[in-house]
Amino acid sequence: MGTGTPPVILQGEPVLGLEAAAASLVAKDDVVLNLASGVYGKGFGYWAARYARRLDEIEVAFNSCIDPEAVRAHLKARPETKVVAVCHHDTPSGTLNDIDAIGAVVVEADALLIVDAVSSWGGMKTSPAACKADIYVTGPNKCLGCAPGLTLAAVSEAAWAKMEANEAAPVASMLSILDWKNAWKATEPFPFTPSVAEINGLGAALDRYLDEGPECVWARHALTAAATRDGVRAMGIDIWPERENIASPTCTAVKVPDGIAPASVIETARANYGVSFSAGRGETLGSLIRIGHMGPTAQPMFAHVAVAALGGALAAQGTTLDIGAGLAAVQLRLDAGD
Amino acid sequence: MGTGTPPVILQGEPVLGLEAAAASLVAKDDVVLNLASGVYGKGFGYWAARYARRLDEIEVAFNSCIDPEAVRAHLKARPETKVVAVCHHDTPSGTLNDIDAIGAVVVEADALLIVDAVSSWGGMKTSPAACKADIYVTGPNKCLGCAPGLTLAAVSEAAWAKMEANEAAPVASMLSILDWKNAWKATEPFPFTPSVAEINGLGAALDRYLDEGPECVWARHALTAAATRDGVRAMGIDIWPERENIASPTCTAVKVPDGIAPASVIETARANYGVSFSAGRGETLGSLIRIGHMGPTAQPMFAHVAVAALGGALAAQGTTLDIGAGLAAVQLRLDAGD
Amino acid sequence: MGTGTPPVILQGEPVLGLEAAAASLVAKDDVVLNLASGVYGKGFGYWAARYARRLDEIEVAFNSCIDPEAVRAHLKARPETKVVAVCHHDTPSGTLNDIDAIGAVVVEADALLIVDAVSSWGGMKTSPAACKADIYVTGPNKCLGCAPGLTLAAVSEAAWAKMEANEAAPVASMLSILDWKNAWKATEPFPFTPSVAEINGLGAALDRYLDEGPECVWARHALTAAATRDGVRAMGIDIWPERENIASPTCTAVKVPDGIAPASVIETARANYGVSFSAGRGETLGSLIRIGHMGPTAQPMFAHVAVAALGGALAAQGTTLDIGAGLAAVQLRLDAGD
Amino acid sequence: MGTGTPPVILQGEPVLGLEAAAASLVAKDDVVLNLASGVYGKGFGYWAARYARRLDEIEVAFNSCIDPEAVRAHLKARPETKVVAVCHHDTPSGTLNDIDAIGAVVVEADALLIVDAVSSWGGMKTSPAACKADIYVTGPNKCLGCAPGLTLAAVSEAAWAKMEANEAAPVASMLSILDWKNAWKATEPFPFTPSVAEINGLGAALDRYLDEGPECVWARHALTAAATRDGVRAMGIDIWPERENIASPTCTAVKVPDGIAPASVIETARANYGVSFSAGRGETLGSLIRIGHMGPTAQPMFAHVAVAALGGALAAQGTTLDIGAGLAAVQLRLDAGD
């Protein structure tokens, strides 16, 4: 992950890592700033609030992203803030936050940064170092294509020190990060039995990732998503993110036309074309449909499959659109190559 | 396979079954009629000629098919014919012969029929009984999606009798069908160690085939191929078979425009789109490109992938065509559903 | 598991289930009685104490077991006790507690019972119903032979009611049992992504377990352990449990002769014979060696392998013993058949 | 395999290789000397006779081995001999021939040598170069532990020349070796679809073999067999080979006491102990029982399992023997280490 030390591997899928980060890093008298531009970012606030003295929040519309300058202003006004939390790719919205810019602001303010990079890491250029994260949580079950069951967490020295100083940080617990600090050294026992099948799967997935080359993997995700967006718009449908440059390369969220129920579109796409889409979650549930491009599904040619299935299912629900134009636009972008 | 008795399972991919059928069924003083409408049908004649007194042949253009009436006329003129051989789906041409009609003619003439159904069985409605085959050779590595390594051969009582009477029929040999007649009975030993991994794979593949339902599997192949053909033609490209109704549901052969080298198109499709096409073989090598729709690749939505990759690769080689029109035609057919 | 409703499947190996049981069932003003006859039973007390008003404990020597009558007397003297916790098979000691008898006593006292049956369930006759457990924690990674990563927890109606009434019971947390109450109903979403590989593995393991027949599986474990114990004693070595009838059928703990270091014996067995033994843990670490008989390793003939490797490794460390006598005793027991 | 060029990989288990060697190398006017010290060696003669002008044979008792001096004398008396065939490890007898000494004699006589090393290669020190074989047939499904389905055949320059000159050598046939001469070059097409699953399995098995180290693999086989033989004899049972130094390291053949039916012993061993033994074949069918030590079953500790199961099953059939003494002898040999 580009850090000097190996990440901590927790034995549960990445929600464990996020809950553990909140439980371990946030001390009783901490003030936490949570940045919410989507359902997952918002959700982290509930965990942070459980452990903090006070939770502040900057929240923007869930098709938008956090402005680093707003973070700077907040931290200037509230210098007591100890921990900032941000979600890189808020999957239920298909939108990205500029975590590298946010990280630079947080460092200046001498706070610690928790980053949820669960569904971005491995699918685009991002690293703990680039965003100066203190706890950077991801997992192999998204862009590496593994079965779910593990968290990868990069932890900074400052975060280790803060967790060790935090009397309420879980130890001898599934929620503990501290328990696993030395677990991967040959001289240390495991706190409990690790998930050996998933650990082997992670090894195999990393072999593939490195064989293909991270830059190639990222480009594959980016092209798949760009072609999908072009195809969707050429059919006459809007994407959910308010601006192209905050749209995720690992998941495309599409705005559902008025009067159409996302659940019906999803059901039709599966029944008629054998293609699985996702709905939104929480606040975005009735408004959008999501097309995943992670790991093995991030094949540029699958943009045709996605656009055709989306177009066909929308048409079956009564939307008027031009599928041929959509597919032609997909092809144009595939041939442009980026 | 719809016969009363289980098929013989030979321990090599289906070319073993075809060679074994020739070696076992054709006796030294037999006259054989070989029906050649493609490279594979033609090829079987070389094996048959190795064992027969005389080989007659009806040969038609390799984008056409055998006329059952021509077979009837031949057999009337040559009543000494003992064995007739026909290839159901001549894969290097993507064309079908009407084996059920041919089989009826062969029965009338009191000859035995060898059918090569290697790449059709499991992907469309065909059975040993419907075509009255005496040896019907297929395998699990085409439309069932298994790894190659086994032949399935349905053998009629008349074929068993003829092989047993044939002094030159191989026994104690890899080419023997007779050796395996009783091998699958609990009371009989195997002639030699069977390929246990492939036998297990066959079991798993049959479970899937029966779970999905043969009619559904056939419909899935048919729709994938029909949508592909529609898309190809809507781009302005011809299919190879001279008539739509002899085009195979498990492989679509496309005529390559004049001046274009199939190998360059295939290489471009793989490099630019990650899609694998095949060339022809032998006489059809320089003339066509093949798109497989067998087993797991027979997904109707993959028609979009195939047409887009073919169109894009042809365009990159200088052909003028309308990919958008092709993809719109694919979608139309998919939505029509058959 | 013999209960009317399916068990809760938590997405972490069984220590998650044990921690979650303590966190969920034990309320702030509860008095808990923990029964400690080994390292694991003792360890559960630390979790229980984290959540309880007061922790009482009955502790016996770690080669012994809990007397149900002592539990009865304690509960009579302390009627305020709300929860009792017991470990069925304390693996680091290879000893069993009589949980069915203890459960009957706990029911009489109107308390709730937490049972750790992690390494006994599936390897011997035991069930939530027989011991009247309110939370019965086990997992597929011991006697079913799965990869670690899941907890199976049978939960009684009384336990659900108590957890729902417990304000401090985790919700929206990896430690939550409540989150998963309805997760396996078709109409309910998962709280978070389940470990699909392990869920599939569990399905396959249960198919095998039921195909072999639970009684046959239990008999296989019992005979393997009995033959191992006979062989060990016939070599002149004592088993760790103070009485034969509390020795586990899924793990045999062997007392290490004075002056011998268990770690050296374990290392020798692995180096010379390719056989893996385990040490004790905590208080039993320097005193015993453990031979596992769980799932696929519970083959009666492996008793020969275990006894030979143990005898050979002890001999290499200077112990005088009669390996031939040990192996003859193994064979005698195998031939006796139970 | 220690030759300068890669072996030919035929797409069928090693009986294919043996039949193909006879069909390809033996020309119509050749005189062949077949060396028969067991059922398999004897069996090769039937194939050789099918293609040769004349088959000579040196046959010895099936618990004995071929004397290289007898071969020398024969070849001196019959200088017209073109091909000599020998089985290295005649599995149904568990006996070895000294193929390196025999090969030296054959070279002197200017004949070509076919070696059946199917069940020895990979389990002991043997190579095409050491025995100067012209066609050396083996496979990955014995001592490498693969699923059956491939032949590995090392072919000398002289053998290629002879096959190319042999008009009757199969081409365009499953029995052809010539077809595959250049198949593994990147520039050449395959004659037909290879068994991809087995090819991948072979790659994985060779990785393991080379990681463990061939010498270690051979030593593991040798020790397992030696300990088994010691145990069998210490129980009072004879091994089948007439001398210890011709007993195979990959299969131990045991003489069945008078009045005992091997099939009953085999059935009892499976029913009572879950251990699979084999009977002899053909002439050795009623006389012996075989214990395999190939690939993953060649674990020295499994000698205990084998001896205990054999002893127990013989005792159950009425033989008087001392199992404890047998197992003590096994352990003594294991501790001696070779």
Side-chain angles (χ1 to χ4, degrees):
Chain A
M1 296 177 68
T3 51
T5 50
V8 172
I9 305 179
L10 300 180
Q11 309 300 302
E13 73 105 29
V15 297
L16 169 62
L18 294 168
E19 185 183 1
S24 299
L25 196 69
V26 178
K28 259 184 196 149
D29 48 6
D30 282 350
V31 172
V32 175
L33 170 61
N34 188 52
L35 306 177
S37 61
V39 175
Y40 283 177
K42 182 78 182 172
F44 187 80
Y46 300 114
W47 279 326
R50 194 183 280 170
Y51 301 100
R53 172 162 65 89
R54 195 182 80 220
L55 182 81
D56 296 334
E57 206 152 38
I58 298 178
E59 183 170 339
V60 296
F62 284 6
N63 66 342
S64 182
C65 71
I66 300 292
D67 178 2
E69 289 311 310
V71 179
R72 186 191 309 269
H74 181 101
L75 293 175
K76 200 164 181 185
R78 312 261 183 144
E80 71 275 23
T81 306
K82 282 285 187 358
V83 174
V84 179
V86 64
C87 181
H88 186 199
H89 171 214
D90 212 304
T91 333
S93 300
T95 51
L96 295 175
N97 280 309
D98 185 351
I99 54 170
D100 292 359
I102 291 167
V105 169
V106 173
V107 162
E108 277 171 30
D110 215 24
L112 298 191
L113 180 65
I114 296 173
V115 170
D116 167 351
V118 174
S119 60
S120 59
W121 181 82
M124 60 180 294
K125 184 168 188 168
T126 170
S127 72
C131 64
K132 301 185 171 62
D134 292 288
I135 300 185
Y136 180 96
V137 174
T138 187
N141 57 317
K142 298 293 181 184
C143 300
L144 291 189
C146 289
L150 294 179
T151 291
L152 303 176
V155 180
S156 73
E157 284 308 313
W160 284 121
K162 187 168 192 325
M163 290 191 288
E164 278 159 5
N166 179 8
E167 284 183 13
V171 289
S173 170
M174 271 295 282
L175 286 183
S176 178
I177 296 177
L178 288 168
D179 286 355
W180 288 91
K181 184 177 182 185
N182 295 310
W184 307 102
K185 297 186 181 165
T187 54
E188 301 287 330
F190 290 112
F192 59 89
T193 309
S195 300
V196 289
E198 265 70 29
I199 296 286
N200 286 327
L202 172 59
L206 286 171
D207 285 347
R208 288 188 171 203
Y209 179 70
L210 297 172
D211 282 353
E212 184 176 352
E215 282 80 7
C216 295
V217 175
W218 304 336
R220 174 161 58 74
H221 283 77
L223 181 57
T224 307
T228 301
R229 290 193 302 268
D230 282 4
V232 166
R233 278 188 300 226
M235 290 195 295
I237 304 295
D238 291 328
I239 62 167
W240 172 258
E242 65 173 14
R243 296 193 315 272
E244 172 85 11
N245 67 355
I246 64 168
S248 163
T250 69
C251 173
T252 295
V254 173
K255 202 181 281 182
V256 174
D258 287 345
I260 303 284
S264 305
V265 178
I266 290 169
E267 197 184 313
T268 304
R270 180 184 283 271
N272 291 8
Y273 307 111
V275 172
S276 293
F277 295 132
S278 298
R281 285 177 75 99
E283 288 84 342
T284 69
L285 184 60
S287 312
L288 56 81
I289 284 172
R290 291 181 294 152
I291 304 165
H293 326 288
M294 295 184 197
T297 66
Q299 295 296 341
M301 285 303 269
F302 286 176
H304 279 302
V305 173
V307 169
L310 178 68
L314 283 168
Q317 299 292 317
T319 307
T320 303
L321 36 63
D322 185 344
I323 298 176
L327 297 171
V330 168
Q331 187 70 11
L332 212 64
R333 173 63 75 133
L334 295 181
D335 286 338
D338 60 9
Chain B
M1 296 177 67
T3 50
T5 51
V8 172
I9 304 178
L10 299 180
Q11 309 299 304
E13 73 105 29
V15 297
L16 169 60
L18 294 169
E19 184 183 2
S24 299
L25 196 70
V26 178
K28 259 185 195 148
D29 47 6
D30 281 351
V31 173
V32 174
L33 169 61
N34 189 51
L35 306 177
S37 60
V39 176
Y40 283 175
K42 182 79 181 173
F44 187 81
Y46 300 115
W47 279 326
R50 193 183 281 171
Y51 302 101
R53 171 160 66 88
R54 195 182 80 219
L55 182 81
D56 297 332
E57 206 152 40
I58 298 178
E59 183 171 340
V60 297
F62 283 8
N63 65 343
S64 182
C65 70
I66 300 293
D67 177 1
E69 289 311 311
V71 180
R72 186 191 310 269
H74 180 102
L75 292 176
K76 200 165 182 186
R78 313 261 184 145
E80 71 275 24
T81 307
K82 282 284 187 1
V83 174
V84 178
V86 65
C87 181
H88 185 198
H89 171 215
D90 213 303
T91 334
S93 299
T95 51
L96 296 175
N97 280 309
D98 184 351
I99 53 170
D100 292 359
I102 292 168
V105 168
V106 173
V107 162
E108 278 170 29
D110 215 24
L112 298 192
L113 179 65
I114 296 173
V115 171
D116 167 352
V118 174
S119 59
S120 59
W121 181 81
M124 60 181 294
K125 183 167 188 170
T126 171
S127 71
C131 65
K132 302 186 170 59
D134 292 289
I135 300 185
Y136 180 96
V137 174
T138 189
N141 56 319
K142 298 293 181 185
C143 300
L144 290 190
C146 289
L150 294 179
T151 290
L152 303 177
V155 180
S156 74
E157 284 308 313
W160 284 121
K162 188 169 190 326
M163 291 190 288
E164 277 160 7
N166 179 8
E167 284 182 14
V171 289
S173 170
M174 270 295 282
L175 286 182
S176 179
I177 296 177
L178 288 168
D179 286 356
W180 289 91
K181 183 175 183 186
N182 295 312
W184 308 103
K185 296 185 180 166
T187 55
E188 300 288 329
F190 291 113
F192 58 88
T193 310
S195 300
V196 289
E198 266 71 27
I199 297 285
N200 286 328
L202 172 58
L206 286 172
D207 286 346
R208 288 190 171 202
Y209 180 68
L210 296 173
D211 282 354
E212 185 176 351
E215 283 80 5
C216 294
V217 175
W218 304 338
R220 175 163 57 75
H221 283 78
L223 181 57
T224 307
T228 301
R229 290 193 302 268
D230 282 4
V232 166
R233 278 188 301 226
M235 290 194 297
I237 303 295
D238 291 328
I239 63 167
W240 172 258
E242 65 172 16
R243 296 194 315 273
E244 172 85 9
N245 67 355
I246 65 169
S248 164
T250 70
C251 174
T252 296
V254 173
K255 203 181 282 182
V256 173
D258 288 344
I260 302 284
S264 306
V265 178
I266 290 169
E267 197 184 312
T268 304
R270 179 185 284 269
N272 291 7
Y273 307 110
V275 172
S276 294
F277 295 133
S278 298
R281 286 177 76 99
E283 289 84 342
T284 70
L285 184 60
S287 312
L288 57 80
I289 284 172
R290 290 182 294 152
I291 304 165
H293 326 288
M294 295 183 196
T297 67
Q299 296 295 344
M301 284 304 268
F302 286 176
H304 279 301
V305 173
V307 169
L310 178 69
L314 283 167
Q317 299 293 315
T319 307
T320 304
L321 37 65
D322 184 345
I323 299 177
L327 297 171
V330 167
Q331 187 71 11
L332 214 62
R333 173 64 74 134
L334 295 181
D335 286 337
D338 58 11
Chain C
M1 296 177 66
T3 50
T5 51
V8 172
I9 305 179
L10 300 180
Q11 308 299 304
E13 73 104 31
V15 296
L16 169 61
L18 294 169
E19 184 183 1
S24 299
L25 197 70
V26 178
K28 258 184 195 147
D29 48 5
D30 281 351
V31 173
V32 174
L33 170 61
N34 188 50
L35 306 177
S37 61
V39 174
Y40 283 176
K42 182 78 182 174
F44 187 80
Y46 299 114
W47 279 326
R50 193 183 281 171
Y51 302 100
R53 172 160 66 88
R54 194 181 81 220
L55 182 80
D56 296 333
E57 206 152 38
I58 298 178
E59 183 171 339
V60 298
F62 284 7
N63 67 341
S64 181
C65 71
I66 300 293
D67 178 1
E69 289 310 311
V71 179
R72 187 191 308 270
H74 180 102
L75 292 176
K76 200 163 181 186
R78 312 260 184 145
E80 70 275 23
T81 306
K82 281 284 185 1
V83 174
V84 178
V86 65
C87 181
H88 185 199
H89 171 214
D90 213 303
T91 333
S93 300
T95 50
L96 295 175
N97 280 310
D98 184 349
I99 53 170
D100 292 359
I102 292 168
V105 167
V106 172
V107 162
E108 277 171 31
D110 215 25
L112 297 192
L113 179 66
I114 296 173
V115 170
D116 168 352
V118 175
S119 58
S120 59
W121 181 81
M124 60 181 292
K125 184 168 186 168
T126 169
S127 72
C131 65
K132 302 185 171 60
D134 291 288
I135 299 185
Y136 181 96
V137 175
T138 187
N141 57 317
K142 297 294 181 184
C143 300
L144 291 190
C146 289
L150 294 180
T151 291
L152 303 176
V155 179
S156 73
E157 284 308 312
W160 284 121
K162 188 169 191 327
M163 290 191 288
E164 278 160 7
N166 179 9
E167 284 182 15
V171 288
S173 169
M174 271 294 283
L175 287 182
S176 179
I177 295 177
L178 288 168
D179 286 355
W180 289 90
K181 183 176 183 186
N182 295 312
W184 306 102
K185 297 186 181 166
T187 54
E188 301 287 330
F190 291 113
F192 59 88
T193 310
S195 300
V196 289
E198 265 71 28
I199 297 286
N200 286 327
L202 171 59
L206 286 172
D207 285 347
R208 290 190 170 202
Y209 179 69
L210 296 173
D211 282 353
E212 185 176 351
E215 283 79 7
C216 294
V217 175
W218 304 337
R220 175 163 57 75
H221 283 78
L223 181 57
T224 307
T228 302
R229 291 194 301 267
D230 283 4
V232 166
R233 279 187 300 226
M235 290 194 297
I237 304 295
D238 291 328
I239 62 168
W240 172 258
E242 66 173 14
R243 297 194 314 272
E244 173 84 9
N245 67 354
I246 66 168
S248 163
T250 70
C251 174
T252 296
V254 173
K255 203 180 281 182
V256 174
D258 288 344
I260 303 285
S264 305
V265 178
I266 290 169
E267 197 184 312
T268 303
R270 179 184 284 269
N272 291 9
Y273 307 109
V275 173
S276 293
F277 295 133
S278 298
R281 285 177 76 99
E283 288 84 341
T284 70
L285 184 61
S287 312
L288 57 81
I289 284 172
R290 290 183 295 151
I291 304 166
H293 326 288
M294 295 184 196
T297 65
Q299 295 296 343
M301 285 303 269
F302 287 176
H304 279 301
V305 173
V307 168
L310 178 69
L314 283 168
Q317 300 292 317
T319 307
T320 305
L321 37 64
D322 185 344
I323 299 177
L327 297 171
V330 167
Q331 187 70 11
L332 212 63
R333 173 63 75 133
L334 294 181
D335 286 337
D338 59 10
Chain D
M1 296 177 68
T3 51
T5 50
V8 172
I9 305 179
L10 299 180
Q11 310 299 303
E13 74 105 28
V15 296
L16 169 62
L18 294 168
E19 184 183 3
S24 299
L25 196 70
V26 178
K28 260 184 195 150
D29 48 4
D30 282 350
V31 173
V32 174
L33 170 61
N34 188 52
L35 306 177
S37 61
V39 175
Y40 282 176
K42 182 77 181 173
F44 188 80
Y46 300 114
W47 280 325
R50 193 184 281 172
Y51 302 100
R53 172 161 66 90
R54 195 183 80 220
L55 182 82
D56 296 333
E57 206 152 40
I58 299 179
E59 182 171 340
V60 296
F62 284 7
N63 65 343
S64 182
C65 70
I66 300 292
D67 177 1
E69 289 311 311
V71 179
R72 186 192 309 271
H74 180 101
L75 292 175
K76 201 165 182 185
R78 312 262 183 142
E80 71 276 22
T81 306
K82 281 285 187 357
V83 173
V84 179
V86 65
C87 181
H88 185 198
H89 171 214
D90 213 304
T91 333
S93 300
T95 51
L96 295 174
N97 280 310
D98 184 351
I99 54 171
D100 292 359
I102 291 167
V105 168
V106 173
V107 162
E108 277 171 30
D110 215 23
L112 298 191
L113 179 66
I114 296 173
V115 170
D116 168 353
V118 174
S119 59
S120 59
W121 181 81
M124 59 180 294
K125 184 168 188 168
T126 170
S127 72
C131 65
K132 300 185 172 60
D134 291 288
I135 299 186
Y136 180 97
V137 174
T138 187
N141 56 318
K142 297 293 181 187
C143 300
L144 291 190
C146 289
L150 294 178
T151 290
L152 303 176
V155 180
S156 74
E157 283 308 313
W160 284 121
K162 190 169 190 322
M163 290 191 288
E164 278 159 5
N166 179 9
E167 284 182 14
V171 289
S173 171
M174 269 295 283
L175 286 183
S176 179
I177 295 177
L178 288 168
D179 286 355
W180 288 90
K181 184 176 183 185
N182 295 311
W184 306 103
K185 296 185 180 166
T187 56
E188 300 287 330
F190 291 112
F192 59 88
T193 309
S195 300
V196 290
E198 266 71 28
I199 297 286
N200 286 328
L202 172 59
L206 286 171
D207 285 347
R208 288 189 172 203
Y209 179 69
L210 296 172
D211 281 354
E212 184 176 352
E215 283 80 6
C216 294
V217 175
W218 304 337
R220 173 162 58 76
H221 282 79
L223 181 56
T224 307
T228 302
R229 291 193 301 268
D230 283 5
V232 166
R233 280 188 299 228
M235 289 195 296
I237 304 294
D238 290 328
I239 63 168
W240 173 259
E242 67 173 14
R243 297 193 315 272
E244 171 85 10
N245 67 354
I246 65 168
S248 164
T250 69
C251 173
T252 296
V254 174
K255 202 180 283 181
V256 173
D258 288 344
I260 302 283
S264 305
V265 178
I266 291 169
E267 196 183 313
T268 304
R270 180 185 283 270
N272 291 7
Y273 307 111
V275 172
S276 293
F277 296 132
S278 298
R281 284 178 77 99
E283 289 84 342
T284 70
L285 184 61
S287 313
L288 56 81
I289 284 172
R290 292 182 293 152
I291 305 166
H293 327 288
M294 295 184 196
T297 66
Q299 295 297 343
M301 284 304 268
F302 287 176
H304 279 301
V305 173
V307 169
L310 178 69
L314 283 168
Q317 299 292 316
T319 308
T320 304
L321 36 64
D322 184 345
I323 298 176
L327 296 171
V330 167
Q331 186 70 10
L332 212 62
R333 174 62 75 134
L334 294 181
D335 286 337
D338 59 10

